[in-house]
Amino acid sequence: AVFTSPLRRAMQTAAPVAALQSIEVTIADGIAEYDRASSDYIPIEELKAEGLPGWQDVLTGDAHRSLGIDPHVFRSGVVDAVEAIIEAHPGEKVAAVCHGGVINAYIAHILGIADPSGFFYPNYTSIHRIAAARSGERSVLSLNDTCHLRGTGLPIGLFGGA
């Protein structure tokens, strides 16, 4: 199965993934980014390079709050949405195309990190693999993998070059 956030940037990424598997994309509202109601999307690199106010919010962990989003409520919604996807697809491989805040929220939940604001920078188009046992156990198998971008000329993360 392939699930995607309803945000355009995620749906555009999910489409070729689903097409390669000849399956439909399912939109999952619960894996939309916390800034989904913003009128525009400014990549974090632009926030930083231009010294925009949102960059300080990211550094202090207040990006959620500056948008009026309770990070605990956001995290709870993400966990519920991902767990519903897992429950609906036992024994299957599932791709969920989402966003950095969503990835941070769910991985932090698995690792037992209490701070809901995020703990790392997920690279664009990075892959994070989670094993989900029917017993409820969740394991992080890989985090922030961008090896699929090598040789494409696309950036492979903050520290990986192109």
Side-chain angles (χ1 to χ4, degrees):
V2 176
F3 286 82
T4 183
S5 152
L7 298 176
R8 181 177 42 162
R9 59 191 190 263
M11 291 192 301
Q12 290 171 335
T13 301
V17 173
L20 282 172
Q21 299 297 318
S22 300
I23 56 177
E24 296 293 317
V25 175
T26 302
I27 295 175
D29 196 60
I31 60 172
E33 186 65 295
Y34 63 86
D35 66 353
R36 70 179 300 159
S38 296
S39 59
D40 54 12
Y41 170 68
I42 303 172
I44 195 167
E45 297 82 8
E46 284 184 39
L47 290 175
K48 181 179 179 183
E50 297 177 20
L52 296 172
W55 175 242
Q56 286 303 316
D57 292 337
V58 170
L59 291 177
T60 61
D62 287 333
H64 296 84
R65 288 181 194 87
S66 67
L67 295 170
I69 306 295
D70 180 326
H72 296 281
V73 171
F74 174 74
R75 178 174 168 169
S76 177
V78 166
V79 170
D80 289 349
V82 174
E83 290 298 322
I85 291 169
I86 292 168
E87 185 175 317
H89 296 276
E92 296 179 27
K93 291 181 182 176
V94 176
V97 181
C98 56
H99 313 276
V102 174
I103 295 163
N104 260 303
Y106 191 71
I107 301 275
H109 165 74
I110 291 172
L111 297 176
I113 297 171
D115 183 356
S117 300
F119 68 100
F120 79 106
Y121 179 80
N123 293 315
Y124 293 115
T125 70
S126 56
I127 296 172
H128 315 269
R129 294 181 316 127
I130 307 299
R134 288 187 176 109
S135 66
E137 182 180 356
R138 306 293 182 252
S139 300
V140 177
L141 302 179
S142 68
L143 193 63
N144 230 11
D145 185 355
T146 56
C147 68
H148 58 285
L149 298 175
R150 288 190 186 121
T152 65
L154 296 170
I156 60 171
L158 291 178
F159 306 107

